[in-house]
Amino acid sequence: MSRRKRDDGYEHGYRKRRRVVSEQAEIEDRLESLIIRVGDKTSSSLESNLEGLASVLEADLNTYKSKILRILSECPIQMPEKCTIYSTLVGLLNAKNYNFGGEFVEQIVRNLKEALREGQWESARLTVRFISDMVNCHIVSASSLLQLYDSFIDAAMEQGVPQVRRDWYMYALLTALPWVGRELFEKKENDLERIMAAMEGYLRRRNTAHVAALRVWNCDTPHPQEEYLECLWAQVRKLRTDEWQERHIYRPYLAFDSILSEALQHNLPVILPPPHTASTQYPLPWVVFRMFDYTDCPEAGPLLPGTHSVERYLIEEHLHQIITRHHNERKELATQLLAFPQRNKIPLEYMIVEVLFSELFQMPSPRYLEIAYGCTLIELCKLQPGTMPQVLAQATELLYERIDTMNATCFDRFVSWFSYHLSNFQFRWSWDDWQNCLSLEKDHPKAKFVSEVFGKCLRLSYYKRVTEMVPECYSPLLPPKPEPYFKYQIEGGNGFPGAAQVQTLTELLRKKPTPEEVLELVQQLPNPLKDDDGDMEPSHNPLAIEVFVQTLLHLGSKSFTHTFAGLAKYHSVFKNICENEEAQICMLRQVYELWQYHPQFLGVVVDKMLKTQIVECCAVANWIFSRDMAPEFTRSYIWEVLHLTIRKMNKHVVRLEKEVNDARAKLRAAPSDSESSDEDPTREAGEKRRRSNSHKEAAKDGGEQPTEEMVERMDERLEAAQSDQKNLFLIVFQRFIMILSEHVVRCDTDGKDFNTFWYQWTVGRLQQVFMAHHEQVEKYSQTLETLLFTHDLDSNILDTFRQFQALRS
Amino acid sequence: MAVPSTYRDQHFKGSRVEQERLLSQSCTLYVGNLSFFTTEEQIYELFGKCGDVKRIIMGLDKFTRTPCGFCFVEFYLRIDAENAIRFVNGTRLDDRIVRTDWDAGFIEGRQYGRGKTGGQVRDEYRTDFDGGRGGWGKMIQQKVATSAANN
C-alpha cells in the first residue's frame, strides 16, 4: 500500500506557524522569568540588572505588552519585599516610554479596584503601598496620590459602617507612609500634615473594646500589648519626628534619580472605595505580640529595634511575609527566615522566635496549624544548633514567668507546643528551675502549666518515660497511670449494684453475641428509678446503662480500635437504652467513671460517640457543666471535649450550608422546563411534567440537577441543624453565666474575694468559646444579647460578651 | 512537601495507572520507622494535630500478631493527610524519626509484615542494632543462633 503524499506546502506552513507560536510562548516565559527573578542574588549589581532588564523589556513592550503589564503589576504584590525594585523598574520604563507608564498606571489601578471589590484586603493594601512608591519613581504625581489618600480618609470617616472597615482604610494609608513619607514631606508637607491630623483624630475617637479579647496577657507589664493600629500610629509618629528619614527600606531608585526625575508623571484616575455591604468581610483587628525587648538580647550583639521604631514594624512584616510564602515547607521556611537580608544588623533569632510565637498565640486563632509552627521551630534549631535552642529556651522561660496573666486559650497552645517540642528532644528540660511551682496551689497557672504539660507528654510517650523525665519532687503534679478504672474488679467490687450482671454480660460478650442478645440481657436489669406504684415511666434505666457501658468499654479498653469495634457492633443497643438526653448524660458519667484516669481515652470515646450519634452535642455540654464534673472543671481535657463537640456541630452546619448553596446555584443556573409546563393545565403538559420530574429524580441519584423540592428539603435539614447549633450555644453560655454568677454570689455571702484562680480560669474558658468559634457564634449574637447577656449581668461576664461583639463592630 | 516518594507497593492489585490515581486521592498514610512499643494512642495524639483521624491500623507481625513498627493513618480529609506529610514526616515519635508516605488505601491483609520471619522486610536484612525494633536484624539473629548451636 503506497502512502499518500501530503501536500508539502500545507505541512511546511503548518510547521512554521507552530514554531512561531511556540517561540512566542518561549519568549514570554523568559520575560516572565527575568522579571520575577530580578533582584535575586546574581553576580552583577542590582542597578545594572535593572538597567539591562529595562532595555530588554523596552524592546518587547509592543509585542508582549499585556503580559508584561500583568507580571509587573502582580510581582510587587506577590513579592512585597521587592516592592521598591519593581517600582524602580517601572520608573525606568516610564522614563523610556511615557505611554507604557500610563497603561501601567491604569493596570495597577484596575487591580486595586478589583481587590477592593473582591475583599482581597492584603493585596489591596500592598497595591496602595506600591502606588505610593511609584510617586518616589516619578511615575505617579504626588498630588494625585494625595487625592487617593483623601478618598481613603473619607471612607474612614463614613458613618454607619463597621469600624473594622474604616480601620482598614486608615491602616492601608498608614502602612504606605514609610515608603513615601519622605517624598511627601519634601514636596507636600502641608498635605502630609493634614493627613496626619486626620489620622490622629480618627484614632482618638476609635473604640478599642476588642483589645481585651485579643491580648495574650491581660496585663501590660513588662511589655504593653498594643492594638495594631495604635502601635503602627506610634511608629509612624516617631518616623515623623525623624523627619520621615527611614533607613531600613532598600531604594534602588535613588541610584537612578537623574533619569527618573526627567520622566513625566501620570495622574491616578479617581478611585472610590466600594460601598459597604452587609456581606462584606473585613480583616479582624489584632494585638501586637511583644515578648522581648533589647535587654533580653545579648549585650554584645546587634540591637533589637525599639517597639515604636518603624524598623521593628518593617522587619516583622517581612518575616510574616516569609512565613506566608513558605508555611507549607518547613525546611525552606527555616532556611529563608535565617537568610533574612539584614540579619547581621538585628538579633535575628529573637525576632524570628517572637514573630513565630506571635502567630502561634494569635487571637482568635493562628492562621496556620499549631504543629506547623512547632516543626518550624524544630527545623530552626537544627539549622542553628548553636543559638536557636538557647533563644527558644529563654523564650520558654519568659512565657512561664508570665503565665499568671496569660489567657486560657494561649495557655492551652503553650502547653501543646511545649510538650510537642520536648517530645522531639528526648523530653530534656531544666525542671529544677521551675520547682517554685510545687509550693503553689494546684489551680495556680504555673502549677497547672506543669501538670498539663506532663499530661500531654504522657500522651506522646508512656507513663514510665514521664516519671523518669522529672525530678522526684514533681510527683504531686504527675498525672495518674492512664488505665481504666473498673470498679467491679477492685477489692470489694462485687458488692456494687449490678456487679453480678456485669459478670454475666462479660461472659456473654466474650462469646460474640448479636446485639439483640445483648439487648435482651440488658433490658432484664431492674430499674432503680421505677417506684413501686410504677405509674411514672422513667426516662431511662441507669443500672442498665451502667452495666452495659462499663462492661463493654472495659472489654474494649485495650486500644481505641478495640473500643471502636465494640461501639460499632453494639450501636443499636446504645441507641435503644440511651434515647434521650438524661440517658445520654448518665452514659457519659459511666464513660467518665471508667476512663477518669486516662483523659485522652475519655476524649476519644466521647468523640466517637458523637460521630456515631450515640450521644448528642447538647448532652455532652450539659454533662460537662453538671455538678459531678465540677472537680474536673479546671482541667484542660474537659475543654478539649467541649470544643470538639462544638466543632462537630459547626462542621455539620457548615457542610449543610454548602450543600444548600451549591444546590441553589445549580438550580439557578439551569432553568427547569417544568416551570413553563406548570402553567399549561392540559394533560399533555402534565405528562411532560411527570416525565421531566422523574428524569430529574433519576438525575438526583447521579448527583446532577437538583429539584426545587430537593432544595427545600435541604433547607429544612439546614434549619434544623442551625436550630440545634443555636441551642447548643445557648446551653453553653447559659451554664457559664449560671456557674459564674453562683460563684460571685457565694463569695459575696461568705465575704470572700470572688477573683479566685477558679474564677479566672472559668472566665478564660468562657472567652475561649467566643474566640474559638467566633464565626459561628456571630450568627446568634443578637439572640445571645437579648436572652442571656443582659444589662443586669455581672460586669466581668458581660464584658467578655461585649469584647467579642467589638471584634466586628 | 506533600509529594509521594518513589516507593510503590509491589503487592498492589491493579494497574500502575490505578495505583497512581488512588495515591493522588488518598486520605491514608503509611507511617514507618515506629518503635514496636509505640501505641495507637501515641499515634492518635501526634497525627491528631493535623486533623480528625478516622482510624489507625497498626502494622502487625504476621505470626505473633504484635506491632512490628509501622501503621496506617487514615484521615477524613485529604488536606489533613497532606498536612501530616508536611508537618509530621521527619519529626520524632517515641524518640524516633517517623516517615510518612501516601498509601493507596487499606485493604484487609495489608496490616501484616511481609518479611520472611513475620515482621517488615527491612528488619530481615538490616545490620544495625535497634532496641526499639527487636534488636539485631533477623538474618543476623539467625546467624548468631546457628553459630551458637554449632559451638
Side-chain angles (χ1 to χ4, degrees):
Chain A
M1 188 157 62
S2 67
R3 286 229 182 119
R4 232 189 63 189
K5 282 219 175 88
R6 294 214 189 95
D7 181 8
D8 258 7
Y10 168 79
E11 194 177 47
H12 178 70
Y14 174 67
R15 274 210 295 252
K16 190 166 167 209
R17 246 201 323 274
R18 270 174 62 89
R19 211 186 315 131
V20 167
V21 165
S22 68
E23 247 178 49
Q24 191 169 32
E26 249 184 62
I27 295 180
E28 280 189 357
D29 287 344
R30 211 173 327 132
L31 283 178
E32 178 165 356
S33 163
L34 282 173
I35 296 173
I36 289 175
R37 290 206 323 265
V38 71
D40 294 349
K41 287 274 170 289
T42 55
S43 46
S44 32
S45 74
L46 176 61
E47 283 81 21
S48 60
N49 278 340
L50 281 170
E51 264 179 326
L53 184 54
S55 306
V56 167
L57 290 176
E58 186 195 6
D60 290 322
L61 273 182
N62 287 319
T63 340
Y64 302 101
K65 192 189 309 182
S66 56
K67 180 100 176 170
I68 294 176
L69 278 175
R70 188 178 58 77
I71 305 171
L72 278 178
S73 62
E74 282 174 8
C75 280
I77 315 304
Q78 302 289 337
M79 295 173 278
E81 70 280 7
K82 287 165 61 166
C83 169
T84 51
I85 295 178
Y86 289 106
S87 59
T88 309
L89 181 58
V90 176
L92 292 172
L93 288 172
N94 180 48
K96 293 176 195 280
N97 187 326
Y98 179 77
N99 284 333
F100 176 78
E103 285 182 89
F104 183 82
V105 169
E106 281 171 20
Q107 173 75 48
I108 199 84
V109 167
R110 258 200 307 275
N111 291 359
L112 175 58
K113 285 182 175 169
E114 186 180 331
L116 287 172
R117 254 196 334 264
E118 301 291 309
Q120 290 159 355
W121 303 110
E122 188 60 5
S123 289
R125 179 181 76 91
L126 294 169
T127 310
V128 170
R129 179 187 285 173
F130 183 62
I131 293 176
S132 309
D133 202 33
M134 280 158 69
V135 171
N136 292 327
C137 300
H138 296 261
I139 308 165
V140 167
S141 71
S143 46
S144 69
L145 179 70
L146 287 165
Q147 272 180 359
L148 173 64
Y149 285 179
D150 278 333
S151 70
F152 273 34
I153 292 178
D154 286 340
M157 301 301 175
E158 193 183 339
Q159 301 284 342
V161 290
Q163 183 176 283
V164 281
R165 169 190 166 92
R166 293 182 275 121
D167 280 350
W168 184 84
Y169 283 99
M170 273 309 185
Y171 181 57
L173 222 176
L174 265 177
T175 66
L177 286 182
W179 273 257
V180 74
R182 178 72 195 177
E183 178 77 6
L184 293 178
F185 173 69
E186 287 175 356
K187 310 269 170 60
K188 302 270 181 187
E189 191 180 343
N190 291 331
D191 291 292
L192 185 56
E193 278 309 304
R194 190 174 43 78
I195 288 174
M196 293 293 279
M199 281 202 220
E200 177 154 7
Y202 177 77
L203 281 158
R204 230 183 313 120
R205 289 190 302 269
R206 252 174 110 235
N207 182 4
T208 51
H210 52 275
V211 172
L214 299 173
R215 294 200 303 183
V216 170
W217 295 283
N218 61 26
C219 82
D220 274 334
T221 47
H223 307 299
Q225 302 293 298
E226 282 184 287
E227 207 261 356
Y228 80 106
L229 205 51
E230 299 201 347
C231 185
L232 181 56
W233 174 239
Q235 287 158 339
V236 170
R237 272 203 336 271
K238 179 155 186 308
L239 181 61
R240 175 172 65 174
T241 61
D242 292 338
E243 291 192 333
W244 301 95
Q245 294 280 25
E246 183 283 316
R247 295 184 205 291
H248 178 84
I249 300 171
Y250 179 55
R251 302 171 193 258
Y253 38 81
L254 295 174
F256 295 102
D257 194 48
S258 48
I259 302 174
L260 294 175
S261 49
E262 294 295 307
L264 291 172
Q265 298 170 323
H266 303 266
N267 285 324
L268 289 169
V270 168
I271 301 167
L272 289 176
H276 171 69
T277 70
S279 57
T280 325
Q281 296 272 32
Y282 300 98
L284 289 179
W286 70 90
V287 167
V288 177
F289 177 81
R290 285 268 176 271
M291 64 183 293
F292 293 129
D293 65 29
Y294 72 97
T295 60
D296 294 309
C297 308
E299 248 181 70
L303 211 57
L304 182 66
T307 356
H308 286 164
S309 70
V310 84
E311 279 75 30
R312 190 72 175 266
Y313 171 77
L314 294 170
I315 295 167
E316 284 174 350
E317 190 191 45
H318 191 171
L319 289 169
H320 282 295
Q321 281 161 358
I322 296 175
I323 296 172
T324 310
R325 178 120 18 102
H326 301 290
H327 65 274
N328 276 335
E329 287 138 45
R330 64 187 201 252
K331 293 194 206 288
E332 185 63 20
L333 174 56
T335 308
Q336 291 301 326
L337 285 172
L338 289 170
F340 190 80
Q342 280 111 334
R343 59 187 170 278
N344 298 317
K345 302 208 188 116
I346 51 169
L348 181 62
E349 289 92 350
Y350 287 86
M351 295 196 77
I352 290 175
V353 165
E354 193 175 65
V355 163
L356 284 170
F357 274 126
S358 80
E359 291 210 18
L360 178 64
F361 292 135
Q362 172 89 294
M363 295 294 284
S365 44
R367 50 184 185 143
Y368 305 124
L369 287 177
E370 287 176 41
I371 195 175
Y373 300 105
C375 66
T376 302
L377 285 166
I378 293 172
E379 282 307 313
L380 287 164
C381 287
K382 274 198 219 154
L383 288 177
Q384 295 257 265
T387 47
M388 244 329 165
Q390 292 84 324
V391 174
L392 206 45
Q394 191 179 350
T396 309
E397 286 287 353
L398 283 178
L399 291 170
Y400 173 78
E401 273 312 302
R402 298 169 199 168
I403 204 165
D404 303 20
T405 51
M406 191 183 243
N407 74 48
T409 313
C410 293
F411 175 92
D412 279 350
R413 292 187 209 157
F414 182 27
V415 168
S416 208
W417 168 76
F418 186 52
S419 52
Y420 166 80
H421 187 81
L422 287 178
S423 74
N424 272 273
F425 293 98
Q426 296 127 357
F427 297 103
R428 276 185 277 117
W429 181 250
S430 48
W431 296 103
D432 290 321
D433 294 349
W434 285 355
Q435 279 185 37
N436 58 2
C437 72
L438 296 166
S439 53
L440 302 167
E441 49 178 287
K442 285 264 163 77
D443 275 347
H444 187 287
K446 285 195 167 69
K448 201 163 238 343
F449 174 71
V450 171
S451 65
E452 294 288 350
V453 164
F454 289 164
K456 287 283 189 174
C457 287
L458 177 59
R459 296 191 193 192
L460 287 168
S461 62
Y462 48 95
Y463 190 68
K464 189 155 175 280
R465 193 83 169 72
V466 175
T467 57
E468 286 172 351
M469 83 186 187
V470 288
E472 267 272 4
C473 53
Y474 275 96
S475 33
L477 292 179
L478 282 172
K481 210 154 180 237
E483 285 168 341
Y485 173 72
F486 195 48
K487 66 185 183 195
Y488 305 97
Q489 277 183 352
I490 61 168
E491 187 77 34
N494 47 13
F496 284 113
Q501 289 91 336
V502 164
Q503 185 63 21
T504 322
L505 182 56
T506 308
E507 281 160 17
L508 173 63
L509 283 170
R510 289 223 166 92
K511 296 190 209 139
K512 312 235 191 267
T514 65
E516 291 74 27
E517 291 173 284
V518 171
L519 183 59
E520 210 189 298
L521 181 80
V522 163
Q523 278 172 336
Q524 283 165 17
L525 282 156
N527 190 339
L529 289 184
K530 246 197 180 108
D531 42 16
D532 295 323
D533 343 6
D535 51 351
M536 267 289 288
E537 192 58 39
S539 60
H540 62 286
N541 183 344
L543 186 63
I545 293 174
E546 182 172 344
V547 167
F548 172 64
V549 171
Q550 290 221 28
T551 311
L552 182 69
L553 291 185
H554 175 244
L555 275 173
S557 62
K558 187 151 177 255
S559 75
F560 296 155
T561 300
H562 287 86
T563 298
F564 293 169
L567 290 177
K569 181 157 185 196
Y570 299 106
H571 185 263
S572 55
V573 182
F574 278 102
K575 290 298 264 184
N576 189 295
I577 65 176
C578 296
E579 279 179 301
N580 52 56
E581 191 172 296
E582 274 182 347
Q584 289 171 13
I585 294 179
C586 174
M587 178 188 65
L588 288 166
R589 260 190 222 118
Q590 300 312 316
V591 179
Y592 170 73
E593 208 175 88
L594 186 72
W595 285 117
Q596 56 188 288
Y597 300 118
H598 196 329
Q600 187 200 17
F601 216 113
L602 174 63
V604 166
V605 171
V606 175
D607 183 79
K608 196 60 158 179
M609 288 180 163
L610 280 165
K611 272 206 187 79
T612 53
Q613 295 171 322
I614 290 174
V615 77
E616 298 292 320
C617 293
C618 294
V620 178
N622 276 316
W623 164 66
I624 284 177
F625 283 96
S626 68
R627 219 154 281 274
D628 288 345
M629 295 307 284
E632 298 290 286
F633 208 64
T634 55
R635 301 275 306 274
S636 287
Y637 79 85
I638 295 285
W639 305 103
E640 268 178 50
V641 174
L642 181 65
H643 286 290
L644 73 85
T645 307
I646 299 177
R647 271 201 308 272
K648 245 182 220 3
M649 177 68 91
N650 293 347
K651 267 196 202 153
H652 180 57
V653 168
V654 165
R655 201 184 53 237
L656 289 180
E657 273 171 2
K658 186 171 184 304
E659 268 178 36
V660 167
N661 289 336
D662 285 349
R664 278 205 192 286
K666 276 203 191 127
L667 202 60
R668 265 198 307 273
S672 68
D673 48 13
S674 66
E675 275 171 9
S676 49
S677 53
D678 268 339
E679 259 113 66
D680 189 341
T682 65
R683 173 126 61 107
E684 201 180 354
E687 199 63 60
K688 193 165 159 208
R689 211 184 319 141
R690 264 195 295 280
R691 250 181 291 131
S692 116
N693 278 343
S694 69
H695 174 71
K696 285 195 178 120
E697 279 300 309
K700 171 175 64 159
D701 295 338
E704 285 166 27
Q705 185 60 18
T707 61
E708 184 69 51
E709 213 185 293
M710 276 167 64
V711 175
E712 267 178 39
R713 262 186 278 132
M714 280 187 203
D715 244 338
E716 281 169 26
R717 267 207 305 272
L718 173 62
E719 267 182 47
Q722 281 172 334
S723 167
D724 283 341
Q725 185 186 44
K726 178 158 88 166
N727 202 26
L728 178 62
F729 282 126
L730 281 175
I731 290 175
V732 170
F733 288 125
Q734 183 170 51
R735 300 298 298 257
F736 262 118
I737 291 173
M738 273 165 53
I739 209 168
L740 283 165
S741 308
E742 269 172 32
H743 170 85
V744 171
V745 164
R746 213 178 323 121
C747 290
D748 251 350
T749 329
D750 296 347
K752 288 201 283 226
D753 180 20
F754 68 88
N755 198 16
T756 60
F757 287 124
W758 181 93
Y759 180 78
Q760 285 166 25
W761 281 118
T762 309
V763 172
R765 293 300 176 186
L766 169 58
Q767 194 188 49
Q768 188 177 28
V769 175
F770 280 121
M771 290 294 122
H773 310 288
H774 65 97
E775 279 172 13
Q776 296 298 316
V777 177
E778 179 66 25
K779 296 188 322 212
Y780 309 111
S781 186
Q782 267 303 102
T783 316
L784 292 172
E785 183 164 9
T786 325
L787 288 183
L788 295 179
F789 292 95
T790 50
H791 301 290
D792 50 314
L793 221 51
D794 177 83
S795 62
N796 288 298
I797 307 171
L798 194 51
D799 275 347
T800 324
F801 180 62
R802 291 265 158 78
Q803 289 156 16
F804 156 75
Q805 280 184 316
L807 272 187
R808 278 171 221 275
S809 56
Chain B
M1 288 288 288
V3 164
S5 72
T6 51
Y7 172 88
R8 289 295 178 271
D9 182 3
Q10 297 304 316
H11 291 216
F12 178 78
K13 301 275 192 299
S15 71
R16 188 52 179 265
V17 169
E18 178 66 9
Q19 194 176 25
E20 296 304 318
R21 187 184 68 81
L22 287 173
L23 286 174
S24 69
Q25 295 173 346
S26 172
C27 297
T28 307
L29 298 178
Y30 163 86
V31 182
N33 198 36
L34 297 175
S35 151
F36 288 7
F37 306 106
T38 300
T39 61
E40 199 183 346
E41 286 95 313
Q42 288 169 276
I43 299 166
Y44 245 98
E45 179 69 12
L46 181 57
F47 283 84
K49 291 177 191 284
C50 300
D52 241 344
V53 171
K54 187 167 176 184
R55 63 174 170 166
I56 292 176
I57 299 129
M58 299 298 286
L60 305 173
D61 180 296
K62 197 169 31 192
F63 304 121
T64 64
R65 303 292 164 108
T66 55
C68 66
F70 74 98
C71 75
F72 296 104
V73 175
E74 192 183 335
F75 289 93
Y76 286 98
L77 302 174
R78 182 176 168 87
I79 180 73
D80 295 341
E82 281 175 17
N83 284 330
I85 292 188
R86 289 176 181 133
F87 305 130
V88 178
N89 187 29
T91 65
R92 290 183 190 268
L93 182 58
D94 257 343
D95 300 310
R96 306 174 63 92
I97 302 271
V98 296
R99 196 169 55 78
T100 64
D101 197 5
W102 288 112
D103 186 80
F106 175 73
I107 299 173
E108 179 57 38
R110 293 191 65 229
Q111 71 269 45
Y112 298 111
R114 295 171 181 166
K116 243 189 329 206
T117 58
Q120 290 197 279
V121 172
R122 56 185 292 224
D123 289 309
E124 298 287 319
Y125 302 111
R126 64 178 172 78
T127 54
D128 61 335
F129 181 87
D130 189 340
R133 292 180 73 99
W136 296 104
K138 290 293 166 60
M139 245 171 55
I140 295 183
Q141 280 184 23
Q142 268 173 358
K143 281 208 187 100
V144 167
T146 340
S147 68
N150 290 340
N151 290 345

